[in-house]
CSV table of all heavy atoms in Angstrom, one decimal:
chain,number,residue,atom,x,y,z
A,227,THR,N,13.3,-46.1,24.5
A,227,THR,CA,12.0,-45.8,25.2
A,227,THR,C,10.7,-46.0,24.2
A,227,THR,O,9.7,-46.7,24.7
A,227,THR,CB,11.9,-44.3,25.8
A,227,THR,OG1,13.2,-44.2,26.5
A,227,THR,CG2,10.8,-44.0,26.6
A,231,LEU,N,7.8,-48.9,25.2
A,231,LEU,CA,6.5,-48.5,25.4
A,231,LEU,C,5.5,-48.9,24.3
A,231,LEU,O,4.4,-49.4,24.6
A,231,LEU,CB,6.4,-46.9,25.5
A,231,LEU,CG,7.1,-46.3,26.7
A,231,LEU,CD1,6.9,-44.8,26.8
A,231,LEU,CD2,6.8,-47.0,28.0
A,252,VAL,N,7.9,-51.9,32.7
A,252,VAL,CA,8.2,-50.5,32.4
A,252,VAL,C,8.8,-49.8,33.5
A,252,VAL,O,9.8,-49.0,33.3
A,252,VAL,CB,7.0,-49.8,31.9
A,252,VAL,CG1,7.2,-48.3,31.6
A,252,VAL,CG2,6.4,-50.5,30.6
A,253,ALA,N,8.4,-50.0,34.8
A,253,ALA,CA,9.1,-49.5,35.9
A,253,ALA,C,10.5,-49.7,36.0
A,253,ALA,O,11.4,-48.9,36.4
A,253,ALA,CB,8.3,-49.8,37.2
A,256,SER,N,12.3,-47.9,33.4
A,256,SER,CA,12.5,-46.5,33.7
A,256,SER,C,13.5,-46.3,34.8
A,256,SER,O,14.3,-45.3,34.7
A,256,SER,CB,11.1,-46.1,34.3
A,256,SER,OG,11.2,-44.8,34.8
A,257,TYR,N,13.6,-47.2,35.7
A,257,TYR,CA,14.6,-47.0,36.8
A,257,TYR,C,15.9,-47.2,36.2
A,257,TYR,O,17.0,-46.4,36.7
A,257,TYR,CB,14.5,-48.1,37.9
A,257,TYR,CG,14.8,-47.7,39.3
A,257,TYR,CD1,13.9,-47.3,40.1
A,257,TYR,CD2,16.1,-47.8,39.7
A,257,TYR,CE1,14.4,-46.8,41.4
A,257,TYR,CE2,16.6,-47.4,40.9
A,257,TYR,CZ,15.5,-46.8,41.8
A,257,TYR,OH,16.1,-46.4,43.0
A,260,LEU,N,16.8,-43.8,35.0
A,260,LEU,CA,17.1,-42.9,35.9
A,260,LEU,C,18.6,-43.2,36.5
A,260,LEU,O,19.3,-42.2,36.8
A,260,LEU,CB,16.1,-43.3,37.2
A,260,LEU,CG,16.1,-42.2,38.3
A,260,LEU,CD1,15.6,-40.9,37.7
A,260,LEU,CD2,15.1,-42.6,39.4
A,265,ASN,N,16.6,-38.6,31.9
A,265,ASN,CA,15.5,-38.1,32.8
A,265,ASN,C,14.2,-38.0,31.9
A,265,ASN,O,13.1,-38.3,32.3
A,265,ASN,CB,15.9,-36.9,33.4
A,265,ASN,CG,17.0,-37.0,34.4
A,265,ASN,OD1,16.9,-37.9,35.2
A,265,ASN,ND2,17.9,-36.2,34.3
A,266,SER,N,14.3,-37.6,30.6
A,266,SER,CA,13.1,-37.5,29.7
A,266,SER,C,12.4,-38.9,29.6
A,266,SER,O,11.2,-39.0,29.5
A,266,SER,CB,13.5,-36.9,28.4
A,266,SER,OG,14.0,-35.6,28.6
A,267,ALA,N,13.2,-40.0,29.4
A,267,ALA,CA,12.7,-41.3,29.4
A,267,ALA,C,11.9,-41.7,30.6
A,267,ALA,O,10.9,-42.3,30.5
A,267,ALA,CB,13.7,-42.3,29.1
A,268,VAL,N,12.4,-41.3,31.8
A,268,VAL,CA,11.8,-41.6,33.0
A,268,VAL,C,10.4,-41.0,33.1
A,268,VAL,O,9.4,-41.5,33.6
A,268,VAL,CB,12.7,-41.2,34.3
A,268,VAL,CG1,12.0,-41.4,35.5
A,268,VAL,CG2,14.0,-42.0,34.3
A,269,VAL,N,10.5,-39.6,32.9
A,269,VAL,CA,9.2,-38.9,32.8
A,269,VAL,C,8.1,-39.5,31.8
A,269,VAL,O,6.9,-39.7,32.2
A,269,VAL,CB,9.4,-37.4,32.4
A,269,VAL,CG1,8.1,-36.7,32.4
A,269,VAL,CG2,10.3,-36.8,33.4
A,270,LYS,N,8.5,-39.9,30.6
A,270,LYS,CA,7.6,-40.6,29.7
A,270,LYS,C,7.1,-41.9,30.2
A,270,LYS,O,5.9,-42.3,30.2
A,270,LYS,CB,8.3,-40.8,28.4
A,270,LYS,CG,7.4,-41.3,27.2
A,270,LYS,CD,6.4,-40.2,26.9
A,270,LYS,CE,5.5,-40.7,25.8
A,270,LYS,NZ,4.4,-39.7,25.5
A,271,CYS,N,8.0,-42.7,30.7
A,271,CYS,CA,7.5,-44.1,31.3
A,271,CYS,C,6.7,-43.9,32.4
A,271,CYS,O,5.7,-44.6,32.6
A,271,CYS,CB,8.8,-44.9,31.8
A,271,CYS,SG,9.8,-45.5,30.4
A,272,SER,N,7.0,-42.9,33.3
A,272,SER,CA,6.0,-42.6,34.4
A,272,SER,C,4.6,-42.1,34.0
A,272,SER,O,3.6,-42.7,34.6
A,272,SER,CB,6.6,-41.6,35.4
A,272,SER,OG,7.9,-42.0,35.9
A,273,SER,N,4.6,-41.4,33.0
A,273,SER,CA,3.3,-41.0,32.4
A,273,SER,C,2.5,-42.2,31.9
A,273,SER,O,1.3,-42.4,31.9
A,273,SER,CB,3.6,-40.0,31.3
A,273,SER,OG,2.2,-39.7,30.6
A,274,PHE,N,3.2,-43.1,31.2
A,274,PHE,CA,2.7,-44.4,30.7
A,274,PHE,C,2.1,-45.3,31.8
A,274,PHE,O,1.0,-45.7,31.6
A,274,PHE,CB,3.8,-45.2,29.9
A,274,PHE,CG,3.3,-46.5,29.3
A,274,PHE,CD1,2.7,-46.5,28.1
A,274,PHE,CD2,3.4,-47.6,30.0
A,274,PHE,CE1,2.4,-47.7,27.5
A,274,PHE,CE2,3.0,-48.8,29.4
A,274,PHE,CZ,2.4,-48.9,28.2
A,275,ILE,N,2.8,-45.4,32.9
A,275,ILE,CA,2.4,-46.3,34.0
A,275,ILE,C,1.2,-45.6,34.6
A,275,ILE,O,0.2,-46.4,35.1
A,275,ILE,CB,3.6,-46.3,35.0
A,275,ILE,CG1,4.7,-47.3,34.4
A,275,ILE,CG2,3.1,-47.0,36.2
A,275,ILE,CD1,5.9,-47.2,35.2
A,276,ASP,N,1.2,-44.3,34.8
A,276,ASP,CA,0.1,-43.5,35.3
A,276,ASP,C,-1.2,-43.8,34.6
A,276,ASP,O,-2.3,-43.8,35.3
A,276,ASP,CB,0.3,-42.1,35.4
A,276,ASP,CG,-0.5,-41.3,36.4
A,276,ASP,OD1,-0.7,-41.8,37.5
A,276,ASP,OD2,-1.2,-40.3,35.9
A,277,GLY,N,-1.1,-44.2,33.3
A,277,GLY,CA,-2.5,-44.4,32.6
A,277,GLY,C,-2.9,-45.8,32.6
A,277,GLY,O,-3.9,-46.1,31.9
A,278,LEU,N,-2.1,-46.7,33.3
A,278,LEU,CA,-2.5,-48.1,33.3
A,278,LEU,C,-3.6,-48.4,34.6
A,278,LEU,O,-3.6,-47.8,35.5
A,278,LEU,CB,-1.4,-49.0,33.6
A,278,LEU,CG,-0.2,-48.9,32.5
A,278,LEU,CD1,1.0,-49.7,32.8
A,278,LEU,CD2,-0.8,-49.4,31.1
A,280,ILE,N,-3.9,-50.0,37.3
A,280,ILE,CA,-3.1,-50.8,38.3
A,280,ILE,C,-3.2,-50.0,39.6
A,280,ILE,O,-4.0,-48.9,39.7
A,280,ILE,CB,-1.7,-50.8,38.0
A,280,ILE,CG1,-1.1,-49.4,37.7
A,280,ILE,CG2,-1.4,-51.6,36.7
A,280,ILE,CD1,0.5,-49.3,37.5
A,284,SER,N,1.5,-48.4,42.9
A,284,SER,CA,2.6,-48.6,41.8
A,284,SER,C,2.7,-47.2,41.0
A,284,SER,O,3.7,-46.8,40.6
A,284,SER,CB,2.1,-49.7,41.0
A,284,SER,OG,2.1,-50.9,41.6
A,285,LYS,N,1.5,-46.5,40.9
A,285,LYS,CA,1.4,-45.3,40.2
A,285,LYS,C,2.3,-44.1,41.0
A,285,LYS,O,2.8,-43.4,40.4
A,285,LYS,CB,0.0,-44.7,39.9
A,285,LYS,CG,-0.8,-45.6,39.0
A,285,LYS,CD,-2.1,-45.0,38.7
A,285,LYS,CE,-3.0,-45.9,37.7
A,285,LYS,NZ,-4.2,-45.2,37.3
A,286,MET,N,2.0,-44.3,42.3
A,286,MET,CA,2.8,-43.3,43.2
A,286,MET,C,4.3,-43.4,43.1
A,286,MET,O,4.9,-42.5,43.0
A,286,MET,CB,2.3,-43.4,44.5
A,286,MET,CG,2.7,-42.3,45.5
A,286,MET,SD,2.0,-40.6,44.9
A,286,MET,CE,0.3,-40.9,44.9
A,287,ILE,N,4.8,-44.8,43.0
A,287,ILE,CA,6.2,-44.9,42.8
A,287,ILE,C,6.6,-44.3,41.5
A,287,ILE,O,7.8,-43.6,41.6
A,287,ILE,CB,6.5,-46.4,42.9
A,287,ILE,CG1,6.2,-47.0,44.4
A,287,ILE,CG2,7.9,-46.8,42.5
A,287,ILE,CD1,6.3,-48.5,44.4
A,288,ALA,N,5.9,-44.5,40.5
A,288,ALA,CA,6.4,-44.0,39.2
A,288,ALA,C,6.4,-42.4,39.3
A,288,ALA,O,7.1,-41.7,38.8
A,288,ALA,CB,5.4,-44.5,38.2
A,289,ARG,N,5.4,-41.9,40.0
A,289,ARG,CA,5.2,-40.5,40.1
A,289,ARG,C,6.5,-39.9,40.9
A,289,ARG,O,7.1,-38.8,40.5
A,289,ARG,CB,4.0,-40.0,40.8
A,289,ARG,CG,3.6,-38.6,40.6
A,289,ARG,CD,2.1,-38.4,41.2
A,289,ARG,NE,1.2,-39.2,40.5
A,289,ARG,CZ,0.0,-39.3,40.9
A,289,ARG,NH1,-0.4,-38.7,42.0
A,289,ARG,NH2,-0.9,-40.1,40.3
A,290,VAL,N,6.9,-40.5,41.9
A,290,VAL,CA,8.1,-40.1,42.6
A,290,VAL,C,9.3,-40.1,41.7
A,290,VAL,O,10.2,-39.2,41.7
A,290,VAL,CB,8.3,-40.9,44.0
A,290,VAL,CG1,9.6,-40.6,44.6
A,290,VAL,CG2,7.2,-40.7,45.0
A,291,ASN,N,9.4,-41.3,41.1
A,291,ASN,CA,10.6,-41.3,40.1
A,291,ASN,C,10.7,-40.2,39.1
A,291,ASN,O,11.6,-39.7,38.7
A,291,ASN,CB,10.8,-42.6,39.4
A,291,ASN,CG,11.1,-43.8,40.3
A,291,ASN,OD1,11.8,-43.5,41.4
A,291,ASN,ND2,10.7,-45.0,40.1
A,292,SER,N,9.4,-39.8,38.7
A,292,SER,CA,9.3,-38.8,37.7
A,292,SER,C,9.6,-37.5,38.4
A,292,SER,O,10.3,-36.6,37.7
A,292,SER,CB,7.7,-38.6,37.3
A,292,SER,OG,7.6,-37.6,36.3
A,293,TRP,N,9.3,-37.3,39.6
A,293,TRP,CA,9.7,-36.1,40.3
A,293,TRP,C,11.2,-35.9,40.4
A,293,TRP,O,11.7,-34.9,40.2
A,293,TRP,CB,9.1,-36.1,41.7
A,293,TRP,CG,7.6,-35.5,41.7
A,293,TRP,CD1,7.0,-34.6,40.9
A,293,TRP,CD2,6.6,-35.8,42.6
A,293,TRP,NE1,5.8,-34.4,41.2
A,293,TRP,CE2,5.5,-35.1,42.3
A,293,TRP,CE3,6.6,-36.7,43.7
A,293,TRP,CZ2,4.2,-35.2,42.8
A,293,TRP,CZ3,5.3,-36.8,44.4
A,293,TRP,CH2,4.2,-36.1,44.1
A,294,ILE,N,11.8,-37.1,40.7
A,294,ILE,CA,13.3,-37.0,40.8
A,294,ILE,C,13.9,-36.6,39.4
A,294,ILE,O,14.8,-35.8,39.3
A,294,ILE,CB,13.9,-38.5,41.1
A,294,ILE,CG1,13.4,-38.8,42.5
A,294,ILE,CG2,15.4,-38.5,41.1
A,294,ILE,CD1,13.7,-40.3,43.0
A,295,ALA,N,13.4,-37.3,38.3
A,295,ALA,CA,13.9,-36.9,37.0
A,295,ALA,C,13.7,-35.5,36.6
A,295,ALA,O,14.5,-34.8,36.1
A,295,ALA,CB,13.3,-37.8,36.1
A,296,ARG,N,12.4,-35.0,36.9
A,296,ARG,CA,12.1,-33.6,36.6
A,296,ARG,C,12.9,-32.6,37.5
A,296,ARG,O,13.3,-31.5,36.9
A,296,ARG,CB,10.6,-33.3,36.7
A,296,ARG,CG,9.7,-34.1,35.7
A,296,ARG,CD,8.3,-34.1,36.1
A,296,ARG,NE,7.9,-32.7,36.3
A,296,ARG,CZ,6.8,-32.4,37.0
A,296,ARG,NH1,5.9,-33.3,37.6
A,296,ARG,NH2,6.3,-31.1,37.1
Side-chain angles (χ1 to χ4, degrees):
T227 305
L231 296 185
V252 174
S256 175
Y257 210 99
L260 195 58
N265 298 306
S266 296
V268 176
V269 175
K270 186 66 183 180
C271 289
S272 298
S273 175
F274 179 88
I275 292 171
D276 195 54
L278 298 178
I280 57 175
S284 297
K285 293 186 178 185
M286 192 59 66
I287 291 171
R289 195 170 303 170
V290 171
N291 287 334
S292 179
W293 278 328
I294 296 172
R296 288 169 56 200

